[in-house]
Amino acid sequence: SSQFWGSGDRDSLKTVAAIALRFTAAISAVFLAVSVLWPELLLRIYTDDLAVVAAGKTYMRLIGATFLFAGMSSTCTYLLRSTGHVRIPLISSIVSFFLNLFFNWVFIFGVLGFPRLEIVGAAVGTVIARSFEFCMIFGYFVLKDEHFRFRMRHFFLRGGALLRQYVRFSLPVIISDTFLGVGLSLGSVIIGHISAPFVAAN
C-alpha cells in the first residue's frame, strides 16, 4: 500500500486494502468461531486445571467475539500508517487503552453501582474497549478517510494479479509471524501447567 500511495495509484491502493481486509476477516472469523464455540477445548491446550478452564470459558467466549474487531482495527491501522496517517490510530489506541482500564476496574470489582463480575468483568471491559476502537478506526477508514477513499462497496474488489503479488510478498511474513505467535503462545502453555494461582497472576 505504501508503494501505491507513493506512486499515486489510488485504484491499486483500494484493491490492496480490500485484499488485506478480506484476509483479516477470514482469519479472524476462524479464531472467533473456535473461541466462541469450543472455548473449553481451546483452554485445555493451555491448562489442565479444570477450575481454571471452567472459570475461563465465559471469558474466552466474550473475548473471542472481539477478535474480528481487533483484526479489522489492526489492519486499518497498518493501512493508514502505510500512507503516513497516524493520528486516528494513535488517538483510538490511547482512548481504548484507558477505556479498557476503566471498565475492567468497574466490572471486575463492581464499583459505581455495577455488579461485581470478576473474570467476566475483565472480558466485558475488554469487549467495550475493543468495540470502541473498531468503531473509531474502521468507521473512519470506510466513512471519512480521503486518502484511500475506501468504502464498504470496495470490500469485494477483485484482486487479480495484485492478489498473487500480495500473497507472494505476505506469505513469508505470515509464516514468520505465525511461528512467533506459536512461540509466545507456548509460554502461556507452560504458565498454564504450573499452577492455578500462577495462571491467575499472569
Side-chain angles (χ1 to χ4, degrees), residues 98-175:
F98 285 106
L99 281 176
N100 200 8
L101 282 178
F102 174 75
F103 284 113
N104 276 340
W105 172 66
V106 166
F107 291 113
I108 290 172
F109 301 108
V111 296
L112 304 179
F114 288 93
R116 182 186 177 96
L117 300 176
E118 298 176 350
I119 191 171
V120 173
V124 170
T126 302
V127 168
I128 292 170
R130 290 287 165 265
S131 300
F132 166 83
E133 187 177 41
F134 169 77
C135 290
M136 188 168 179
I137 295 179
F138 189 76
Y140 173 83
F141 190 74
V142 300
L143 297 174
K144 297 284 289 180
D145 178 65
E146 288 302 319
H147 304 103
F148 277 85
R149 296 176 188 164
F150 188 91
R151 301 300 179 256
M152 283 306 295
R153 67 181 181 276
H154 297 133
F155 188 80
F156 300 101
L157 284 171
R158 296 184 64 175
L162 268 182
L163 177 60
R164 291 189 291 275
Q165 186 180 355
Y166 181 90
V167 170
R168 189 172 82 248
F169 284 120
S170 65
L171 196 59
V173 179
I174 291 169
I175 293 169

Side-chain angles (χ1 to χ4, degrees), residues 63-96:
I63 288 296
T66 70
F67 288 165
L68 185 60
F69 287 170
M72 298 300 269
S73 297
S74 295
T75 300
C76 289
T77 293
Y78 296 138
L79 289 166
L80 288 167
R81 285 177 183 168
S82 73
T83 60
H85 301 96
V86 298
R87 191 169 61 90
I88 292 295
L90 175 65
I91 292 169
S92 66
S93 293
I94 291 170
V95 174
S96 67

